[in-house]
């Protein structure tokens, strides 16, 4: 970090650039950052070519994406067309872009000497294994050397490394719910020398998980009073979970997955089934979860009570409940895909990197209807 940027940080005057602001995660990021007390300026940069009016706007066009936020946008610039030079002087850059965009831009900005902290909400830096980008997402990575400087932004499990990182790869929404939901259970199993025979993740998501694009199966007529299974174990988030289970816990159990769309705007509910090779001591599993919950503000353990999407909507919390029967454990993990599953966790990572309290800007009053 340059001296000038370091001084700004100390004076709590961060300038943040948001690339890809009009999508769901872009809008949610702007919303959170615009109420963040240490953020002074939010620059919005669009990669889209389609809107000739962008440069001529007299007020931020972002009000079209988030009209309900009109009077909270004092720190927010109008949307400008993206160029690398405009990133100069940013304390941090948030990429809220579709896949296969951020890695190319990061490769160019590193070349031109811009040293801003990067938080990428897209999948472009999530894998450590560089071959996975081609295999899973179909592109060759533009800057494999930067992958080694990248830390996976699953805050509760990578906090210390995030402090030292230059690039944070914000996790996928499903992997956040799965990996955090089962982390205490895996820690317990490892301590006791128990093996995990298999994991089944049955995931349900609101439609914002698919982004803003208009697709026939995301229309009101199709999805209201409907539920659709849209992916199973070939889902792109499965290799992400597998790599991180190996990296974090040195385990590679069979992992089966289904993803279903539900007629809701936001939220993920995962029912995760795990089979251990022996019957566990359930009180010790509960203890492990309680300890994890105490150490991590945004991880809220409910014991045997099973949380629902309603309990997390509009918040940065992940809430988890469990049931144990013989050697099978069922974990229910819920979060808001746009907050803990994306923009909220990204801001949590920003706070950690810049030495702020992790909760700053994230104690969001929940939506209650
Ligand atoms: N949605 C989730 O729950 C979620 C969770 C975790 C991670 N992610 C990841 O985050 C990234 C962004 O996801 P997203 O859900 O924010 O995608 P999205 O809503 O589909 O937006 C993607 C991009 O579309 C562009 N766009 C073009 N024309 C637009 C228009 N008329 N209105 C709105 N946007 C327009 C926006 O860029 P401009 O503003 O430059 O035009 C935006 O960056 C993806 O890589 C995704 O995998 C998403």
């Amino acid at each position: 970090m340059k001296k000038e940027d370091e001084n700004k940080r100390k004076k709590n005057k961060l300038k943040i650039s948001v690339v890809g602001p009009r999508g769901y995660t872009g809008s949610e990021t702007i919303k959170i950052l615009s109420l963040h007390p240490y953020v002074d300026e939010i620059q919005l940069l669009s990669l889209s070519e389609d809107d000739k009016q962008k440069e001529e706007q007299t007020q931020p066009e972002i009000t079209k994406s988030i009209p309900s936020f009109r009077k909270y946008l004092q720190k927010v610039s109008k949307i400008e067309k993206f160029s690398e030079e405009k990133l100069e002087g940013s304390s941090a850059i948030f990429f809220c872009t579709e896949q296969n965009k951020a890695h190319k831009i990061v490769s160019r900005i590193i070349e031109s000497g811009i040293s801003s902290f990067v938080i990428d909400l897209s999948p472009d830096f999530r894998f450590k294994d560089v071959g996975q980008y081609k295999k899973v997402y179909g592109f060759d990575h533009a800057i494999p050397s930067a992958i080694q400087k990248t830390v996976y932004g699953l805050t509760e499990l990578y906090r210390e490394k995030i402090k030292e990182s230059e690039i944070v790869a914000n996790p996928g929404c499903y992997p956040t719910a799965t990996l955090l939901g089962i982390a205490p259970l895996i820690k317990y199993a490892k301590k006791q020398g128990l093996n995990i025979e298999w994991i089944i993740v049955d995931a349900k998501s609101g439609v914002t998980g698919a982004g803003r694009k208009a697709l026939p199966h995301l229309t009101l007529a199709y999805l209201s009073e409907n539920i659709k299974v849209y992916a199973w174990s070939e889902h792109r988030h499965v290799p992400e979970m597998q790599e991180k289970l190996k990296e974090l816990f040195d385990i590679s159990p069979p992992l089966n997955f289904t993803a279903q769309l539900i007629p809701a705007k936001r939220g993920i509910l995962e029912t995760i089934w795990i089979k251990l090779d022996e019957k566990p001591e359930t009180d010790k599993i509960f203890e492990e979860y309680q300890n994890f919950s105490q150490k991590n503000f945004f991880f809220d353990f409910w014991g045997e009570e099973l949380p629902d999407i309603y309990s997390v909507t509009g918040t940065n919390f992940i809430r988890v409940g469990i049931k144990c029967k013989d050697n099978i454990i069922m974990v229910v993990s819920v979060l808001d895909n746009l907050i803990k599953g994306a923009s909220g966790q990204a801001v949590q990572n920003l706070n950690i990197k810049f030495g702020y309290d992790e909760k700053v800007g994230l104690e969001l009053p929940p939506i209650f209807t």
Side-chain angles (χ1 to χ4, degrees):
M1 195 181 295
K2 286 185 190 159
K3 191 86 197 134
E4 186 189 319
D5 296 339
E6 179 70 6
N7 289 342
K8 275 190 187 170
R9 183 188 76 76
K10 283 189 187 138
K11 287 186 205 150
N12 298 333
K13 292 213 183 297
L14 299 187
K15 175 184 171 183
I16 309 284
S17 292
V18 177
V19 184
R22 292 185 302 164
Y24 284 138
T25 60
S27 301
E28 192 66 51
T29 300
I30 295 161
K31 189 191 90 174
I32 297 170
L33 290 176
S34 62
L35 293 174
H36 193 295
Y38 304 148
V39 172
D40 203 38
E41 196 183 334
I42 305 166
Q43 172 175 250
L44 308 185
L45 298 173
S46 171
L47 295 172
S48 303
E49 302 290 340
D50 60 345
D51 198 339
K52 292 200 179 77
Q53 291 174 337
K54 238 174 253 160
E55 296 288 357
E56 295 151 26
Q57 294 295 318
T58 51
Q59 66 174 116
E61 190 211 75
I62 197 66
T63 50
K64 286 188 186 156
S65 301
I66 39 174
S68 56
F69 221 62
R70 287 179 73 90
K71 293 213 172 184
Y72 292 89
L73 294 169
Q74 292 86 347
K75 299 179 198 171
V76 181
S77 77
K78 68 176 184 173
I79 299 177
E80 293 174 59
K81 192 164 168 41
F82 176 86
S83 72
E84 272 98 35
E85 308 82 70
K86 288 178 183 160
L87 297 172
E88 188 78 56
S90 306
S91 316
I93 306 163
F94 283 64
F95 284 95
C96 300
T97 45
E98 288 159 315
Q99 65 189 55
N100 196 12
K101 302 233 184 287
H103 71 114
K104 295 179 196 161
I105 297 171
V106 170
S107 97
R108 294 199 292 271
I109 63 178
I110 290 180
E111 225 167 76
S112 59
I114 297 172
S115 59
S116 314
F117 180 52
V118 167
I119 301 184
D120 180 22
L121 283 81
S122 87
D124 288 13
F125 286 90
R126 290 182 195 154
F127 291 117
K128 278 275 177 252
D129 175 357
V130 72
Q132 288 289 67
Y133 295 98
K134 182 79 177 169
K135 215 162 127 190
V136 180
Y137 289 100
F139 64 80
D140 290 312
H141 206 281
I143 181 150
S145 58
I147 294 172
Q148 300 321 316
K149 298 180 191 162
T150 301
V151 172
Y152 190 61
L154 189 62
T155 320
E156 285 70 11
L157 299 176
Y158 286 86
R159 195 178 275 114
E160 291 310 309
K161 290 189 174 159
I162 289 165
K163 286 179 192 164
E164 308 304 324
S165 64
E166 293 173 32
I167 301 171
V168 161
N170 228 54
C173 44
Y174 290 130
T176 298
T178 304
L179 295 168
L180 289 181
I182 63 177
L185 175 59
I186 298 174
K187 284 183 185 184
Y188 160 81
K190 291 213 58 118
K191 278 185 200 164
Q192 302 299 320
L194 302 178
N195 289 318
I196 292 171
E197 293 194 353
W198 45 252
I199 301 175
I200 297 172
V201 181
D202 175 7
K204 297 179 177 63
S205 173
V207 289
T208 53
R212 248 185 217 279
K213 51 197 156 308
L215 296 171
H217 66 277
L218 301 178
T219 59
L220 181 69
Y222 180 81
L223 204 62
S224 64
E225 300 174 47
N226 194 8
I227 297 182
K228 178 183 173 58
V229 181
Y230 73 95
W232 75 305
S233 298
E234 87 288 0
H235 193 287
R236 290 162 169 190
H237 285 174
V238 173
E240 182 181 330
M241 295 181 208
Q242 285 167 326
E243 184 184 88
K244 301 312 164 191
L245 283 174
K246 181 78 183 149
E247 189 174 294
L248 283 162
F249 305 112
D250 196 24
I251 58 167
S252 314
L255 175 61
N256 287 297
F257 179 85
T258 56
Q260 290 140 79
L261 271 175
I262 56 168
K265 286 189 274 192
R266 325 167 151 230
I268 284 176
L269 184 149
E270 289 185 357
T271 309
I272 309 164
W273 298 84
I274 294 192
K275 187 174 181 211
L276 298 174
D277 61 350
E278 278 177 42
K279 193 171 181 317
E281 290 173 275
T282 46
D283 53 335
K284 293 225 169 106
I285 295 180
F286 279 84
E287 225 173 78
E288 197 71 49
Y289 272 92
Q290 265 142 9
N291 287 340
F292 195 70
S293 188
Q294 267 160 20
K295 286 187 193 140
N296 295 291
F297 180 76
F298 289 116
F299 183 94
D300 184 20
F301 180 52
W302 280 25
E304 282 207 289
E305 196 182 332
L306 302 178
D308 51 18
I309 286 177
Y310 180 71
S311 71
V312 286
T313 311
T315 79
N316 194 48
F317 283 102
I318 170 167
R319 304 198 202 274
V320 173
I322 59 171
K323 297 272 189 198
C324 306
K325 187 162 186 280
D326 302 324
N327 50 347
I328 303 250
I329 295 101
M330 184 186 82
V331 178
V332 173
S333 177
V334 294
L335 51 76
D336 185 320
N337 56 295
L338 294 180
I339 306 188
K340 184 60 180 166
S343 310
Q345 182 151 247
V347 173
Q348 208 180 337
N349 292 331
L350 175 90
N351 288 340
I352 287 166
K353 171 67 185 177
F354 286 97
Y356 307 140
D357 184 321
E358 194 168 311
K359 301 195 285 298
V360 173
L362 289 168
E363 292 192 272
L364 308 164
I367 296 162
F368 64 93
T369 55

